[in-house]
């Protein structure tokens, strides 16, 4: 498999076309941004860790019946994935109040939510990824009712699987963001990444933050936190 043209460069990844029209190659960068690009930095080794952690979790989810874009890890930073059209929604699942939910609803960080919360944001950097509900999604034709139902069911199922999986490594899954894509035959699959960039991972005992909040909030120990997640999941 060979890279041809670069299709896209995002804040944390580049995506390349390949000589197979149904396959892309994703390349993970060490660049980190927060607050819609307002804060910029580098997390040394992040690209390698996010590539490996994402692939590990996607393989685990595939094994549990969740269709994903994952095909094959090619190197430390690069992975072959199915070529998809990304559904322009960020799908956020929350188990414990933190971040923007705490701010919006006045719930102290760490408050266990009585029921899992599912949120959607419209993927549009210029608008700052505004939160939308199903009415907005159908009005803007971002997804059909059938697609949104499938995406919601997958997101909640992924939450159940991931929460139980991570608990054995003493990692509490506070919240996370998913993206889904549509393959050429119209199948909806989990895409993008599942990593300390896109999840809040807390140590189950100390509640220490082991994710990108260390960068967002200048808490220090950013690289160590990413490394700790890799070590707990993959023993390295
Ligand atoms: P929030 O509390 O800032 O809304 O974030 C909720 C979850 O989504 C958290 O696990 C971090 C993740 N997230 C992303 O992956 N990308 C983003 O651009 C934002 C704002 C959050």
């Amino acid at each position: 498999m060979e890279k041809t043209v670069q299709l896209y460069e995002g804040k944390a990844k580049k995506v390349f076309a390949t000589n197979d029209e149904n396959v892309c190659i994703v390349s993970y960068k060490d660049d980190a941004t927060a607050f819609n690009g307002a804060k910029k930095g580098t997390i040394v080794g992040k690209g390698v860790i996010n590539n490996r952690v994402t692939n590990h979790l996607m393989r685990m989810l595939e094994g549990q019946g969740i269709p994903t874009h994952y095909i094959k890890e090619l190197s430390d930073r690069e992975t072959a994935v199915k070529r998809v059209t990304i559904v322009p929604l960020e799908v956020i699942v929350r188990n414990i109040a933190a971040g923007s939910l705490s701010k919006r609803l006045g719930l102290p960080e760490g408050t266990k939510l009585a029921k899992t919360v599912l949120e959607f944001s419209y993927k549009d950097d210029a608008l700052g990824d505004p939160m939308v509900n199903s009415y907005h999604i159908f009005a803007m034709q971002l997804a059909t009712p059938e697609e949104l139902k499938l995406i919601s069911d997958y997101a909640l199922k992924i939450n159940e699987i991931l929460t139980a999986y991570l608990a054995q490594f003493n990692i509490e899954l506070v919240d996370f963001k998913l993206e889904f894509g549509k393959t050429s035959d119209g199948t909806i699959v989990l895409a993008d990444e599942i990593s300390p960039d896109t999840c809040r991972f807390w140590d189950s005992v100390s509640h220490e933050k082991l994710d990108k909040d260390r960068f967002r909030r200048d808490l220090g120990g950013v690289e160590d936190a990413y490394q700790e997640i890799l070590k707990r999941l993959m023993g390295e």
Side-chain angles (χ1 to χ4, degrees):
M1 204 173 315
E2 268 171 52
K3 281 188 229 166
T4 53
V5 291
Q6 183 174 307
L7 297 174
Y8 169 81
E9 176 162 8
K11 299 187 198 101
K13 299 187 287 295
K14 293 178 185 176
V15 182
F16 298 89
T18 69
N19 45 356
D20 181 335
E21 61 176 3
N22 291 315
V23 179
C24 287
I25 291 176
V26 178
S27 181
Y28 286 75
K29 307 192 287 186
D30 285 353
D31 299 350
T33 64
F35 314 117
N36 200 18
K39 180 181 171 81
K40 289 189 173 68
T42 301
I43 302 174
V44 176
K46 172 170 88 79
V48 172
I49 293 173
N50 285 357
N51 184 39
R52 304 198 59 206
V53 167
T54 294
N55 293 340
H56 180 77
L57 294 176
M58 291 234 180
R59 287 189 293 257
M60 187 277 293
L61 289 169
E62 282 276 356
Q64 300 291 317
I66 305 292
T68 79
H69 73 165
Y70 175 78
I71 299 176
K72 186 174 190 280
E73 189 165 298
L74 302 174
S75 70
D76 267 2
R77 286 179 189 272
E78 293 193 338
T79 295
V81 298
K82 291 173 194 157
R83 185 163 182 161
V84 297
T85 307
I86 291 287
V87 176
L89 292 174
E90 300 206 334
V91 181
I92 295 159
V93 183
R94 301 180 186 268
N95 298 305
I96 295 170
S100 69
L101 182 87
S102 287
K103 203 168 166 191
R104 188 163 7 100
L105 301 182
L107 290 173
E109 275 208 334
T111 309
K112 170 100 180 85
L113 299 166
K115 194 170 190 299
T116 302
V117 170
L118 189 61
E119 292 171 359
F120 303 97
S121 295
Y122 172 41
K123 260 176 76 68
D124 186 310
D125 280 341
L127 297 174
D129 299 338
M131 191 191 285
V132 289
N133 65 28
S134 60
Y135 289 87
H136 303 111
I137 292 170
F138 303 147
M140 293 180 70
Q141 299 182 294
L142 304 177
T144 66
E146 294 73 27
E147 286 166 352
L148 191 65
K149 169 85 169 69
L150 192 58
I151 286 170
S152 303
D153 289 349
Y154 281 148
L156 295 174
K157 184 72 190 162
I158 290 166
N159 183 45
E160 278 177 28
I161 298 168
L162 271 185
T163 298
Y165 181 77
L166 295 168
Q168 52 179 325
F169 305 107
N170 273 335
I171 299 168
E172 198 166 28
L173 183 60
V174 174
D175 56 32
F176 58 100
K177 185 266 298 181
L178 301 172
E179 295 184 24
F180 291 85
K182 236 197 273 190
T183 62
S184 55
D185 68 4
T187 308
I188 298 268
V189 298
L190 177 64
D192 195 52
E193 64 181 282
I194 310 177
S195 73
D197 268 17
T198 61
C199 303
R200 284 195 173 94
F201 294 137
W202 291 359
D203 181 273
S204 310
V205 180
S206 68
H207 306 297
E208 185 191 358
K209 297 184 198 315
L210 298 171
D211 57 60
K212 194 177 169 188
D213 269 348
R214 303 204 73 86
F215 168 79
R216 294 187 188 101
R217 301 177 189 191
D218 296 319
L219 299 176
V222 185
E223 279 87 0
D224 287 349
Y226 279 70
Q227 197 67 50
E228 177 66 19
I229 291 296
L230 181 71
K231 186 172 139 203
R232 289 196 195 186
L233 297 186
M234 306 185 70
E236 305 162 28

